[in-house]
Amino acid sequence: MVRREEQDLNEKFRLKFGVDKLFALLAGALFSPLIALICLSIWIEGLFFRESRGSVFHREERISQGKRFCLLKFRVLKTSVSRKMTENDSATFLQFETENTTWTGKLLIKFYLDEVPQFFHILMGRMSFVGPRPRIPSVYEEDLQEGFTALQYLRGSITGPHQLAKGIENNPRYLSEQYLEKCRAYTPVELLRYDLGVMYKTIFKNLKGEGL
């Protein structure tokens, strides 16, 4: 039943996923000089600060559309913090403590630039631009047990309604379920129009340095 509903939604999502890949390709080309600069900054910081040495990228096991995948982000945590992480830990929560982050990481978080490598996941069909955030496996299982099923049917995303609601009293689980209902109710064109509105608001939120 779940697989059938997922297939039905994917048929409806053809326009959404096609536009996702087009925008990811354009964004990748546009951001390529910035990506190179970020990689260089992380590497240079590691030369001067031992605690900042390590891989340019950070990887985490996440769930998207019911499937596990390895989420890629720019590393913002100090090496000592990253090494202690388990499958049930998320860099998103650890980076709230400023002493856990590198100098470059603080700047990346402020403007949400640590998420830029996720354009690659969109091109590969693992993620979407708008929807629920991909969850770590343990949290995903908790969601299912409590009846929140959005990530069974939807691809994890870079932004979405709950990211825009940061700092406002909200429940990400309910907002993800509400987005799933919109996907079921809207036509492909209506859904694309809604997604473009979310992406537009995301750009201006990030330019203000508010992060998501």
Side-chain angles (χ1 to χ4, degrees):
M1 183 66 178
V2 171
R3 174 58 60 181
R4 178 60 183 172
E5 186 166 357
E6 182 182 313
Q7 290 174 345
D8 290 343
L9 281 170
N10 279 341
E11 285 294 316
K12 193 174 185 179
F13 287 161
R14 281 187 178 183
L15 179 61
K16 172 184 172 71
F17 294 156
V19 172
D20 275 344
K21 290 187 177 183
L22 175 61
F23 280 7
L25 190 62
L26 293 174
L30 180 65
F31 278 83
S32 55
L34 180 60
I35 291 171
L37 180 61
I38 292 172
C39 291
L40 183 62
S41 298
I42 294 173
W43 179 74
I44 289 175
E45 182 178 344
L47 293 178
F48 291 95
F49 300 97
R50 189 180 187 87
E51 60 187 7
S52 297
R53 293 176 187 174
S55 172
V56 169
F57 299 104
H58 172 74
R59 295 169 175 82
E60 284 185 13
E61 198 79 13
R62 295 291 182 96
I63 303 291
S64 176
Q65 212 168 36
K67 305 179 184 69
R68 290 190 180 223
F69 77 107
C70 189
L71 181 75
L72 197 66
K73 302 173 68 172
F74 282 122
R75 182 176 59 83
V76 300
L77 297 176
K78 294 175 181 176
T79 307
S80 59
V81 177
S82 297
R83 286 175 178 169
K84 294 177 182 177
M85 290 181 63
T86 68
E87 185 185 75
N88 294 323
D89 292 324
S90 171
T92 303
F93 299 110
L94 293 173
Q95 68 193 32
F96 289 141
E97 300 294 333
T98 55
E99 65 268 19
N100 290 338
T101 58
T102 64
W103 291 103
T104 303
K106 289 179 176 64
L107 185 61
L108 295 181
I109 294 166
K110 182 177 177 63
F111 293 99
Y112 201 43
L113 294 175
D114 56 317
E115 307 285 356
V116 168
Q118 291 170 37
F119 293 154
F120 170 76
H121 293 309
I122 295 176
L123 285 172
M124 296 297 292
R126 299 182 188 126
M127 290 182 65
S128 180
F129 267 108
V130 178
R133 282 297 289 168
R135 311 280 268 179
I136 60 176
S138 60
V139 176
Y140 172 74
E141 292 300 327
E142 289 176 9
D143 286 353
L144 293 185
Q145 290 173 10
E146 296 181 25
F148 298 97
T149 61
L151 273 172
Q152 274 190 303
Y153 305 106
L154 303 178
R155 292 180 184 178
S157 69
I158 292 179
T159 188
H162 55 286
Q163 286 95 326
L164 291 183
K166 180 182 178 182
I168 303 172
E169 189 70 26
N170 70 86
N171 186 318
R173 288 170 159 179
Y174 286 112
L175 291 175
S176 295
E177 295 299 315
Q178 288 173 4
Y179 181 75
L180 176 58
E181 290 307 311
K182 285 183 173 66
C183 292
R184 288 170 171 152
Y186 287 177
T187 66
V189 173
E190 288 172 338
L191 183 60
L192 178 60
R193 189 182 300 122
Y194 177 83
D195 282 359
L196 290 174
V198 172
M199 292 165 67
Y200 176 81
K201 292 175 183 177
T202 297
I203 291 171
F204 283 94
K205 193 176 184 73
N206 290 342
L207 288 175
K208 293 178 183 178
E210 296 178 358
L212 293 178

